Amino acid sequence: MWVNHWLRCALPGHCAFCLGETPRATHWCANCLEQLPWNDHACVVCAEPMATGTNEGDGAVRCGACLTRPPVFDGAWAPLRYEDEVARLMQTFKFAASPRAGMLLLSLLEAGLEARIGASVEQHEAFWPARQGVEAIIPVPLHPRRARERGFDQADWLGRRLARRMDLPVIKARRMRVTPTQRGLARQARRSNLRDAFMIDSPLPQSVLLLDDVMTTGATFDALAQACRAAGARRIEVWAVARTPKR
């Protein structure tokens, strides 16, 4: 079972991916970290992976979907693509509720952030969100019934731990209904599936950060961003640990 694999791989001093020795206080070896499916070439609006070499001088490349119908949120970032070892690790976290897998994903998110801003995650004044004036984190919520069935809410789990590292408050959104599965649905069908699915009960600060483990088409984030706009947010950034490649 993959859950047993990740329990073994998370032992101190051993790489989570190849079981080789690692430097002290790291979860992976340099080679495995480099070989992970990093989402280096992506749309600056929805983080959809794009072909290598598509980035322009300033990196501000938008995919066709965002050019024709921009999302409600202002921009998205996902450091990894949902492929290979990352996909297996995500499934262990999401469906087996493995805290060790969750900590690895959080560490990978922070590693991607450190590479992006060129500073340690613990240097709060250098945080990219802080420079953008982000005032709170809003994890994408599961419906309570779905959370009970699964045993935990993975986005809330990640969001609370990241918020502590970033010294930001967590604001909870509510999922108003159990939506049918999004698997296999096209982008427009996903949007329709999630219409009016979220609610924010209190006024929001001007700038918020939405967080989830995986971003597929962005429809879930878009629906939550609509609720955030209605609650007063003016700038809405989106983060996910991984982004699925275009289908």
Side-chain angles (χ1 to χ4, degrees), residues 93-178:
F93 172 57
K94 197 167 187 173
F95 300 113
S98 167
R100 291 179 183 271
M103 290 307 299
L104 280 169
L105 289 169
L106 186 60
S107 295
L108 287 171
L109 179 70
E110 292 177 344
L113 177 59
E114 289 175 7
R116 188 181 195 196
I117 66 176
S120 168
V121 169
E122 295 179 351
Q123 295 175 284
H124 296 284
E125 70 279 4
F127 273 1
W128 178 78
R131 292 192 304 212
Q132 297 295 317
V134 170
E135 299 170 79
I137 291 178
I138 304 177
V140 174
L142 288 175
H143 188 274
R145 192 181 85 187
R146 191 69 55 79
R148 286 193 299 270
E149 292 171 353
R150 187 172 294 173
F152 84 129
D153 185 329
Q154 74 277 357
D156 183 74
W157 193 95
L158 290 169
R160 291 189 179 281
R161 284 157 179 79
L162 184 64
R164 285 199 293 268
R165 297 295 298 272
M166 295 169 61
D167 195 24
L168 288 172
V170 172
I171 296 177
K172 296 200 74 169
R174 285 193 295 136
R175 198 154 191 153
M176 303 304 295
R177 53 190 172 83
V178 179

Side-chain angles (χ1 to χ4, degrees), residues 7-239:
L7 285 171
R8 291 197 310 272
C9 288
L11 292 173
H14 292 82
C15 175
F17 302 104
C18 73
L19 289 180
E21 293 186 2
T22 63
R24 172 175 285 187
T26 61
H27 300 295
W28 42 67
C29 66
N31 183 62
C32 285
L33 184 66
E34 182 180 352
Q35 295 303 314
L36 288 175
W38 294 102
N39 192 21
D40 293 327
H41 303 279
C43 172
V44 295
V45 178
C46 74
E48 180 174 273
M50 301 178 73
T52 302
T54 55
N55 284 2
E56 297 168 358
D58 61 357
V61 173
R62 290 165 173 77
C63 68
C66 290
L67 287 171
T68 57
R69 185 178 177 179
V72 175
F73 53 82
D74 295 290
W77 174 69
L80 294 154
R81 300 190 306 276
Y82 186 73
E83 296 175 346
D84 306 327
E85 298 288 358
V86 172
R88 288 189 281 270
L89 179 58
M90 192 74 71
Q91 290 160 13
T92 300
F93 172 57
K94 197 167 187 173
F95 300 113
S98 167
R100 291 179 183 271
M103 290 307 299
L104 280 169
L105 289 169
L106 186 60
S107 295
L108 287 171
L109 179 70
E110 292 177 344
L113 177 59
E114 289 175 7
R116 188 181 195 196
I117 66 176
S120 168
V121 169
E122 295 179 351
Q123 295 175 284
H124 296 284
E125 70 279 4
F127 273 1
W128 178 78
R131 292 192 304 212
Q132 297 295 317
V134 170
E135 299 170 79
I137 291 178
I138 304 177
V140 174
L142 288 175
H143 188 274
R145 192 181 85 187
R146 191 69 55 79
R148 286 193 299 270
E149 292 171 353
R150 187 172 294 173
F152 84 129
D153 185 329
Q154 74 277 357
D156 183 74
W157 193 95
L158 290 169
R160 291 189 179 281
R161 284 157 179 79
L162 184 64
R164 285 199 293 268
R165 297 295 298 272
M166 295 169 61
D167 195 24
L168 288 172
V170 172
I171 296 177
K172 296 200 74 169
R174 285 193 295 136
R175 198 154 191 153
M176 303 304 295
R177 53 190 172 83
V178 179
T179 53
T181 180
Q182 297 280 81
R183 294 190 186 93
L185 296 181
R187 191 184 301 265
Q188 186 56 45
R190 285 172 179 258
R191 289 178 185 270
S192 299
N193 195 25
L194 289 159
R195 188 173 292 118
D196 300 322
F198 299 101
M199 175 71 71
I200 307 290
D201 292 324
S202 58
L204 290 179
Q206 293 289 299
S207 183
V208 297
L209 174 64
L210 311 186
L211 179 73
D212 206 353
D213 55 345
V214 180
M215 184 177 184
T216 304
T217 65
T220 300
F221 278 119
D222 211 45
L224 180 55
Q226 289 177 14
C228 291
R229 293 277 187 223
R234 296 285 181 246
R235 180 164 184 82
I236 302 171
E237 296 295 325
V238 160
W239 282 12

